[in-house]
Amino acid sequence: MALKYAAVIEKTTNGYSGYVPDLPGCVAAGNSCEETEKLLRDAVALHVESLREHGDPIPEPQTSVASVDVPA
């Protein structure tokens, strides 16, 4: 069964950074949004693998994401 975690990617002054709220410490940074997303996918896989290797519980995805429209 695949786990689906929400990821937040934000523009910074010199690129992009991303994190996964349900996996504290799981972060990535890149020069583009696409690069950051790829690096974050890799970081999530390594993070979960490390939890498994150490016998730690793997957090269930809890965070959801929604877009909110407001008048311009």
Side-chain angles (χ1 to χ4, degrees):
M1 175 179 89
L3 298 171
K4 188 172 186 174
Y5 291 101
V8 177
I9 298 175
E10 301 173 318
K11 177 96 170 96
T12 66
T13 55
N14 54 347
Y16 290 82
S17 66
Y19 64 96
V20 178
D22 294 329
L23 299 173
C26 188
V27 299
N31 294 319
S32 68
C33 187
E34 295 78 13
E35 178 186 17
T36 303
E37 183 177 341
K38 184 215 176 293
L39 293 170
L40 198 53
R41 286 180 191 279
D42 295 343
V44 169
L46 290 171
H47 193 94
V48 170
E49 180 182 327
S50 177
L51 290 172
R52 283 190 179 120
E53 287 176 357
H54 290 94
D56 294 328
I58 298 169
E60 289 291 323
Q62 300 291 316
T63 303
S64 62
V65 178
S67 294
V68 179
D69 295 328
V70 296

